[in-house]
Amino acid sequence: QVIAEGEAVLVDPASVNHDAVAVANPGSFDVRRKDNPHLTLSYGLHHCLGAPLARMEMQGAISELFKRLPDLRLAGEAVVDDDNLTQPITDLPVTW
C-alpha cells in the first residue's frame, strides 16, 4: 500500500499476525507453523533487543514439551484477551 507523505496510518493491533498474504490459515493457532514472519517482537528500529534470546528459550521449551508429551494437542479454542494491547492467550485447553 502506497502511503503519501503526511498521510496518517492507523494499525489495528488485532490484525497483527493475521495476514492471509503472509501466513496460511492465519485464524488458526499453530505453534508448528513454518515460515511464520510474525511481528510479536516488533520490527526495524523498535525490534526487541531480547528477541534472539526469547526465540531460543521458546524453541527449547516447546521442543522439550513435545518430547515429554508427544501426544499433546489442542482440546478447544485458544482464548485471547482482545481488550489487552498485547492480546495474550489467557486460556489454552490441551489434552494428551
Side-chain angles (χ1 to χ4, degrees):
Q1 178 67 41
V2 176
I3 301 167
E5 182 178 343
E7 196 172 28
V9 176
L10 178 63
V11 177
D12 179 5
S15 67
V16 174
N17 302 324
H18 294 277
D19 184 355
V21 173
V23 296
N25 300 317
S28 67
F29 176 74
D30 184 359
V31 297
R32 295 173 291 183
R33 179 176 280 141
K34 301 288 185 214
D35 301 320
N36 187 7
H38 63 82
L39 298 174
T40 302
L41 299 169
S42 197
Y43 182 77
L45 178 66
H46 300 286
H47 188 260
C48 176
L49 292 175
L53 176 60
R55 287 189 179 107
M56 185 176 68
E57 290 173 338
M58 285 303 299
Q59 185 176 25
I62 290 173
S63 175
E64 190 62 30
L65 178 66
F66 283 108
K67 281 183 200 170
R68 291 180 185 216
L69 301 171
D71 296 325
L72 184 69
R73 62 188 178 282
L74 286 175
E77 292 293 318
V79 176
V80 178
D81 181 358
D82 292 322
D83 295 327
N84 188 313
L85 181 62
T86 60
Q87 297 179 321
I89 293 175
T90 57
D91 189 30
L92 185 63
V94 296
T95 188
W96 61 90

